[in-house]
Amino acid sequence: MKLSEKILRAALGVLILLSLVLTYAIWLSPTSKTANVNTSKQAVKNDQNYAKATDAFLPIRGIWNVAEGKFQTSSENLLATTQARLTEGTYGQLHEVAQNTEEIKEYYNLDDGIELNYEGGFLLSEYVKVFDMPVSLDSLKEGTKITFSQIQVDFAKKKIRFLNYNKGTVYEATISADFTGLTTIFQKNQTRYLAMSDEDPVVPRLLRTKDRVRLKKYSYILTTQSYSLFRNAFFRNPDQAKGEEEASGTRSFVSGHEELMMDEQKRLVTFKGELPTDLTNESVYSQSFNYVSRLGTAVGNLRYFDHHEGQINYRIFVEGYPVFSNSSKGKMSVKVEQDPDASTPQVTIETSMDTVQVPIPSDEEVELPSTLEVENNLAAVGIDLTKVQNYIIGYSWQDIDGVNKLVALTPEWFVKYDNTWYPANQLMQGNLETGAN
């Protein structure tokens, strides 16, 4: 036998032995068994399809202040990309630079940079946690209680700011980030932005759309969710919930101090119960999202919209725009409050059994007036513009007569007037009786 053949056989024997050792390590070792258990648990968690906080708490509008002018987008994809760039930045120490409504006026205008806006106030510590921002709040007095509604990234001064217009506060820190990349997001997607004019003289911090806005109408197939979805998402021990159906068409489930009511006629879901003990020290945003997350995407793309009198409101968003209706459809409200007669905080949830998930393609568009036209029309019918707090484009939920399983979503302007949202067309008729839900 040649020497080369002996070497080859010896090498082959070593490889076979190595293969047997690796097989043992993979299939029989204790480490392997532990890994299999963890993988199984992860698979179960993924099957539950929990919603992500980074989606639910994404800012709802972004404004690029660049050399060409001011441009606004509601694109979730562009906003998420922008937020990801900010997460990669390096930040200095946050400190307060404005403390009242007069001092904050200095920060109304931004010439070179971007602004990310929430409709309702958001907790700064929650923002830092959700998006894993490398920003420290340790040196701030009551840093865990600071709220804001706008983020400013000032390219020229290399600053990031968190503004609260209601309180007049501004917190600022230095920022080192990829400003060129942030500008490129606009340059590569200009067709997805609306050109904006200078600030509104009635509400100085608001911008107006320069031109009329064209948006698509949508038709969606209506989906009615089963009771098991809400039972499993809201109850602490859903398997223990006992259900019964009443003659009125209302189905109810009870477990301990928790109760779920489903009204077939109003299509309304109401839950009342006690907050889980592991959430008692969390913020109201984390507490409410605990229930939203467990619904997953089954009820549509729910995102945080606003916070009013202790109630957190989430809305379904379509193409980056919130959905409004004259009922609970398209919305989920969560209220956490301390009942003096109870040792545990109480939770109340309202949402709809109905949701929209499957769009029916259509090329039909609606042309909306500019913001200035809306203002002029409101003023013409005697609406007090000083009580106008905001304007937003949203989709109006309309059940189609005679078609039980089809919903029309039509874009229109909505106006926040004296702390209530109204369709602009309704305000123009002087109707202040009911707002948009």
Side-chain angles (χ1 to χ4, degrees):
M1 183 183 293
K2 295 182 180 179
L3 180 61
S4 60
E5 291 179 355
K6 291 182 178 180
I7 294 173
L8 183 60
R9 287 188 176 187
L12 183 60
V14 171
L15 289 174
I16 292 172
L17 181 61
L18 180 61
S19 175
L20 292 172
V21 171
L22 290 175
T23 300
Y24 171 82
I26 293 172
W27 295 106
L28 300 178
S29 72
T31 304
S32 170
K33 292 178 183 178
T34 302
N36 285 340
V37 171
N38 289 340
T39 302
S40 176
K41 287 181 179 179
Q42 186 64 41
V44 171
K45 187 174 182 181
N46 289 342
D47 288 344
Q48 291 174 328
N49 192 27
Y50 280 23
K52 297 178 181 178
T54 49
D55 294 335
F57 292 113
L58 192 68
I60 66 173
R61 286 182 289 194
I63 297 171
W64 267 247
N65 301 274
V66 291
E68 298 91 333
K70 297 178 183 292
F71 300 88
Q72 177 177 291
T73 185
S74 297
S75 164
E76 292 162 341
N77 177 262
L78 298 182
L79 294 172
T81 301
T82 302
Q83 178 57 57
R85 298 289 179 272
L86 294 182
T87 301
E88 297 165 356
T90 302
Y91 300 88
Q93 185 60 54
L94 271 175
H95 60 283
E96 193 174 28
V97 294
Q99 297 180 328
N100 56 58
T101 53
E102 284 300 315
E103 292 178 353
I104 198 175
K105 291 179 180 179
E106 181 182 341
Y107 300 93
Y108 278 174
N109 298 314
L110 185 64
D111 296 326
D112 183 19
I114 60 173
E115 303 167 28
L116 300 177
N117 296 278
Y118 287 91
E119 177 49 44
F122 194 39
L123 197 63
L124 181 54
S125 60
E126 194 74 20
Y127 171 76
V128 169
K129 180 179 72 173
V130 167
F131 294 104
D132 195 23
M133 293 287 288
V135 176
S136 174
L137 309 180
D138 294 341
S139 65
L140 293 174
K141 183 180 180 181
E142 296 188 327
T144 58
K145 297 181 179 180
I146 295 170
T147 58
F148 70 97
S149 58
Q150 184 185 87
I151 303 166
Q152 283 186 359
V153 181
D154 191 327
F155 296 165
K157 296 182 178 179
K158 294 182 172 57
K159 302 283 189 180
I160 186 169
R161 303 185 187 100
F162 298 91
L163 292 77
N164 184 319
Y165 288 103
N166 291 331
K167 295 182 178 179
T169 57
V170 179
Y171 290 85
E172 181 182 82
T174 58
I175 175 175
S176 175
D178 181 11
F179 297 144
T180 301
L182 292 169
T183 303
T184 302
I185 293 173
F186 162 73
Q187 292 172 340
K188 289 186 175 181
N189 301 277
Q190 294 187 34
T191 57
R192 300 167 74 180
Y193 286 77
L194 300 176
M196 309 298 288
S197 66
D198 291 335
E199 283 73 13
D200 188 325
V202 179
V203 186
R205 63 183 176 83
L206 296 183
L207 298 177
R208 291 172 169 153
T209 56
K210 271 190 173 180
D211 307 306
R212 292 190 158 210
V213 181
R214 296 189 66 86
L215 289 175
K216 281 188 176 183
K217 288 183 66 174
Y218 287 93
S219 293
Y220 272 78
I221 296 175
L222 179 71
T223 301
T224 299
Q225 299 298 337
S226 68
Y227 69 87
S228 61
L229 172 71
F230 302 104
R231 181 197 61 191
N232 294 341
F234 297 163
F235 281 97
R236 284 178 292 180
N237 297 298
D239 292 341
Q240 298 178 12
K242 305 297 183 182
E244 61 179 37
E245 189 166 355
E246 300 175 9
S248 61
T250 299
R251 184 189 290 266
S252 64
F253 294 85
V254 178
S255 174
H257 297 289
E258 298 174 312
E259 182 181 25
L260 175 69
M261 303 287 290
M262 300 186 67
D263 190 320
E264 294 283 352
Q265 290 186 335
K266 296 181 179 178
R267 318 301 292 162
L268 180 65
V269 178
T270 305
F271 173 81
K272 293 185 178 181
E274 294 179 340
L275 187 73
T277 54
D278 60 337
L279 292 174
T280 53
N281 294 324
E282 297 289 339
S283 74
V284 68
Y285 302 94
S286 289
Q287 291 170 346
S288 61
F289 182 67
N290 170 67
Y291 298 96
V292 173
S293 67
R294 291 190 291 178
L295 288 173
T297 56
V299 295
N301 182 20
L302 278 174
R303 292 170 61 189
Y304 167 58
F305 185 71
D306 61 9
H307 179 196
H308 184 61
E309 295 182 348
Q311 178 173 292
I312 301 287
N313 298 312
Y314 295 85
R315 291 187 183 277
I316 293 175
F317 276 65
V318 172
E319 297 299 320
Y321 297 99
V323 172
F324 292 83
S325 72
N326 57 7
S327 64
S328 60
K329 295 177 181 179
K331 179 182 176 182
M332 176 170 166
S333 299
V334 184
K335 191 167 189 176
V336 180
E337 53 191 343
Q338 184 64 61
D339 188 331
D341 297 326
S343 58
T344 305
Q346 304 298 294
V347 179
T348 303
I349 302 173
E350 281 193 1
T351 189
S352 176
M353 299 168 59
D354 297 334
T355 189
V356 290
Q357 288 184 317
V358 183
I360 299 175
S362 171
D363 293 328
E364 186 178 358
E365 290 187 334
V366 173
E367 184 176 79
L368 302 180
S370 67
T371 315
L372 180 58
E373 289 179 85
V374 174
E375 282 186 0
N376 289 340
N377 291 336
L378 292 176
V381 297
I383 294 296
D384 183 358
L385 296 184
T386 63
K387 292 185 178 181
V388 171
Q389 297 157 291
N390 211 344
Y391 302 90
I392 195 170
I393 294 173
Y395 275 90
S396 177
W397 177 306
Q398 299 166 340
D399 293 317
I400 298 177
D401 292 338
V403 185
N404 293 331
K405 293 295 182 180
L406 207 59
V407 174
L409 295 181
T410 305
E412 62 177 302
W413 280 105
F414 291 85
V415 181
K416 188 176 184 180
Y417 181 82
D418 200 18
N419 291 317
T420 301
W421 285 100
Y422 297 92
N425 289 331
Q426 179 181 325
L427 272 186
M428 291 172 194
Q429 297 169 7
N431 182 1
L432 298 174
E433 292 183 6
T434 59
N437 288 319

